[in-house]
Amino acid sequence: MQNTIRIIGIDPGLRRTGWGIIDTLGNSLRFVASGTVTSDGDMDLASRLCQLHDGLAEVVHVHQPHEAAVEQTFVNKDAVATLKLGQARGIAMLVPARAGLQVSEYAPNAVKKAVIGVGHGEKRQIHMMLKILMPKVEFKGDDAADALAIAICHAHNRGSNRMRQAALAG
């Protein structure tokens, strides 16, 4: 008998880190919640990272997901911006890992392919497909929508991820 699995998808960013939570049972998806954790751009980097950490930790505590998925970082032309994004991504991976969750990572193209069927697409296509896949979905902004897409990508790929991890461990 299958059990419902609650997944948190996280779209890391230093200014705004999107999060989206879905429940999956077999092939069915159900929207649970979504939102954005923000940091104060006037604060120093360490304080901003603390804000992201504390906000995500609260989301994980309140919603009690079973698994987590985080979008992989792409390299910007600006090395400083890429480094800061990497630090925010570290927080996005640390929070669920500290809560005892398995954390999977997905490339942006894999996320788009899982949701809209192709590896390249526009934000509005993702928004539209989220509404089709989960009619009761609610999200404010691209960051929360992207996080929900990451959670859906993980729901579609979690079986193959478990087999890959078992093979590496065995």
Side-chain angles (χ1 to χ4, degrees), residues 10-17 45 48-49 52-53 56 69-75 81-97 103-108 150:
I10 303 172
D11 181 30
L14 185 57
R15 288 186 187 108
R16 292 175 310 278
T17 291
L45 179 60
R48 293 176 74 186
L49 293 172
L52 295 177
H53 174 276
L56 275 179
V70 177
E71 189 171 66
Q72 291 175 338
T73 303
F74 62 91
V75 178
T82 300
L83 182 59
K84 287 180 180 178
L85 177 58
Q87 291 168 324
R89 189 169 172 276
I91 297 297
M93 294 180 71
L94 172 71
V95 169
V103 181
S104 298
E105 304 172 69
Y106 297 95
I150 294 161

Side-chain angles (χ1 to χ4, degrees), residues 66-143:
H66 303 113
E67 299 176 8
V70 177
E71 189 171 66
Q72 291 175 338
T73 303
F74 62 91
V75 178
N76 291 314
K77 293 178 182 175
D78 179 357
V80 173
T82 300
L83 182 59
K84 287 180 180 178
L85 177 58
Q87 291 168 324
R89 189 169 172 276
I91 297 297
M93 294 180 71
L94 172 71
V95 169
R98 292 286 311 238
L101 306 181
Q102 182 70 42
V103 181
S104 298
E105 304 172 69
Y106 297 95
N109 287 351
V111 172
K112 288 178 183 172
K113 189 170 186 177
V115 176
I116 62 175
V118 293
H120 300 281
E122 297 177 20
K123 298 286 186 188
R124 64 180 177 78
Q125 290 174 297
I126 292 172
H127 294 194
M128 182 184 69
M129 282 306 296
L130 288 174
K131 292 175 183 175
I132 291 170
L133 294 169
M134 299 180 298
K136 295 181 181 181
V137 72
E138 296 176 16
F139 53 87
K140 292 183 181 174
D142 291 340
D143 302 300

